[in-house]
């Protein structure tokens, strides 16, 4: 058994990709889903300063989320702070990814919160589909062309893994029976704060994790789980 166990999660929606991957956006009733957008003020960034918010060490990641039978979406909330105030424009999103095949894609959404503090409205009016390279790495996704300025309400980064042919790879049970799984998996770190949201019919804030009997995950015992995501910001 591998030293790093994967906690496999799935997401709710199929998505249309480019010419290489075909599909449609649907909701749980199999109808074309609509994206609700928040009004965003577009400004031109000066880009003279760059900061990385919530910078992480990928070598300290020993816990992963990915696709399985049940369907989920994952989100991390970034609270407005002095770093965002100084450099409020979103330049790129950096995520710890673990991919087992060469042709892997993931969808990223940048969202505002509703009155209850849950992800609600998209801030970028575009399907952000990114290719993920094979291996365990920090994947950087450039979103600077959207010139998105984060306001005082903060921002969610939502990860939607895609259950598509290009993301498939083979796994084996203990009895050596083969089954299909999907890349990539998304790394997570232990945290003292609740920054993780999980979607399964409705958004819910992450809770304490029960202790596992995995020695290499001892630092996660009775901690909150925080996705290994950082934001590259500019002014």
């Amino acid at each position: 058994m591998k030293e790093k166990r994967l906690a496999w999660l799935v997401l709710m929606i199929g998505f249309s990709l480019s010419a290489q991957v075909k599909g449609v956006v649907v909701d749980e009733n199999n109808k074309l889903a609509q994206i609700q957008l928040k009004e965003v003020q577009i400004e031109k960034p000066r880009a003279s300063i760059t900061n990385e918010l919530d910078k992480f060490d990928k070598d300290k990641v020993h816990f992963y989320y990915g696709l399985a039978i049940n369907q989920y979406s994952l989100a991390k909330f970034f609270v407005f702070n002095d770093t965002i105030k100084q450099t409020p424009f979103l330049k790129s999103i950096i995520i710890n990814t673990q991919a087992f095949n060469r042709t892997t894609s993931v969808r990223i959404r940048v969202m505002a919160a509703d009155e209850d503090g849950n992800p609600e409205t998209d801030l970028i009016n575009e399907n952000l589909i990114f290719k993920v390279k094979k291996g365990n790495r920090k994947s950087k996704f450039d979103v600077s062309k959207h010139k998105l300025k984060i306001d005082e309400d903060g921002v969610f980064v939502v990860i939607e893994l895609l259950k598509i042919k290009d993301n498939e790879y083979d796994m084996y049970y203990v009895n050596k029976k083969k089954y299909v799984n999907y890349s990539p998996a998304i790394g997570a770190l232990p945290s003292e704060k609740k920054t993780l949201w999980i979607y399964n019919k409705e958004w819910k804030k992450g809770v304490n994790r029960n202790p596992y009997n995995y020695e290499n995950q001892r630092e996660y015992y009775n901690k909150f789980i925080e996705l290994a995501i950082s934001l590259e910001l500019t002014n």
Side-chain angles (χ1 to χ4, degrees), residues 90-97 104-110 124 128-133 137-146 157-159 184 186 228-232:
L90 182 57
K91 183 178 181 180
S92 60
I93 299 168
I94 302 169
I95 302 175
N96 181 207
T97 58
T104 299
S105 300
V106 66
R107 185 189 187 205
I108 307 297
R109 299 172 73 180
V110 183
I124 295 177
L128 302 178
I129 306 293
F130 296 101
K131 291 292 185 182
V132 177
K133 293 182 179 179
R137 65 180 66 249
K138 282 188 173 183
S139 296
K140 181 184 287 190
F141 307 122
D142 185 358
V143 294
S144 58
K145 70 176 183 179
H146 300 285
V157 173
V158 178
I159 301 176
I186 306 300
I229 302 177
S230 64
L231 301 182
E232 193 173 38

Side-chain angles (χ1 to χ4, degrees), residues 134-190:
K134 184 178 181 180
N136 189 327
R137 65 180 66 249
K138 282 188 173 183
S139 296
K140 181 184 287 190
F141 307 122
D142 185 358
V143 294
S144 58
K145 70 176 183 179
H146 300 285
K147 299 179 176 62
L148 176 63
K149 186 177 182 181
I150 302 174
D151 62 24
E152 294 182 357
D153 294 329
V155 68
F156 279 99
V157 173
V158 178
I159 301 176
E160 297 181 340
L161 305 184
L162 304 173
K163 200 171 185 178
I164 57 176
K165 186 68 176 178
D166 280 354
N167 289 0
E168 291 181 358
Y169 70 98
D170 293 334
M171 290 281 287
Y172 295 86
Y173 294 109
V174 177
N175 62 6
K176 298 184 179 180
K177 184 177 179 181
K178 185 170 71 173
Y179 66 98
V180 175
N181 221 323
Y182 296 85
S183 284
I186 306 300
L189 293 162

Side-chain angles (χ1 to χ4, degrees), residues 20-177:
Q20 294 181 342
V21 183
K22 296 181 179 179
V24 294
V25 181
V26 297
D27 62 16
E28 61 271 18
N29 297 316
N30 212 31
K31 298 181 179 180
L32 203 48
Q34 296 182 352
I35 295 177
Q36 183 180 6
L37 292 174
K38 179 181 178 181
E39 184 177 351
V40 180
Q41 184 177 0
I42 302 297
E43 300 178 26
K44 185 177 180 180
R46 297 193 298 274
S48 60
I49 304 173
T50 300
N51 289 321
E52 186 173 345
L53 182 64
D54 282 11
K55 188 174 182 178
F56 61 89
D57 182 354
K58 78 175 184 63
D59 293 330
K60 293 184 178 180
V61 175
H62 302 116
F63 185 81
Y64 291 85
Y65 289 99
L67 285 172
I69 298 173
N70 295 323
Q71 296 186 342
Y72 295 86
S73 293
L74 303 170
K76 178 178 178 178
F77 183 64
F78 292 86
V79 177
F80 188 86
N81 58 18
D82 289 339
T83 300
I84 299 177
K85 185 177 181 179
Q86 181 191 32
T87 49
F89 292 94
L90 182 57
K91 183 178 181 180
S92 60
I93 299 168
I94 302 169
I95 302 175
N96 181 207
T97 58
Q98 188 175 69
F100 298 95
N101 44 10
R102 294 181 181 177
T103 55
T104 299
S105 300
V106 66
R107 185 189 187 205
I108 307 297
R109 299 172 73 180
V110 183
M111 305 183 75
D114 63 15
E115 294 180 353
D116 297 322
N118 298 314
E120 182 186 40
T121 54
D122 288 89
L123 298 176
I124 295 177
N125 184 21
E126 184 178 318
N127 261 345
L128 302 178
I129 306 293
F130 296 101
K131 291 292 185 182
V132 177
K133 293 182 179 179
K134 184 178 181 180
N136 189 327
R137 65 180 66 249
K138 282 188 173 183
S139 296
K140 181 184 287 190
F141 307 122
D142 185 358
V143 294
S144 58
K145 70 176 183 179
H146 300 285
K147 299 179 176 62
L148 176 63
K149 186 177 182 181
I150 302 174
D151 62 24
E152 294 182 357
D153 294 329
V155 68
F156 279 99
V157 173
V158 178
I159 301 176
E160 297 181 340
L161 305 184
L162 304 173
K163 200 171 185 178
I164 57 176
K165 186 68 176 178
D166 280 354
N167 289 0
E168 291 181 358
Y169 70 98
D170 293 334
M171 290 281 287
Y172 295 86
Y173 294 109
V174 177
N175 62 6
K176 298 184 179 180
K177 184 177 179 181

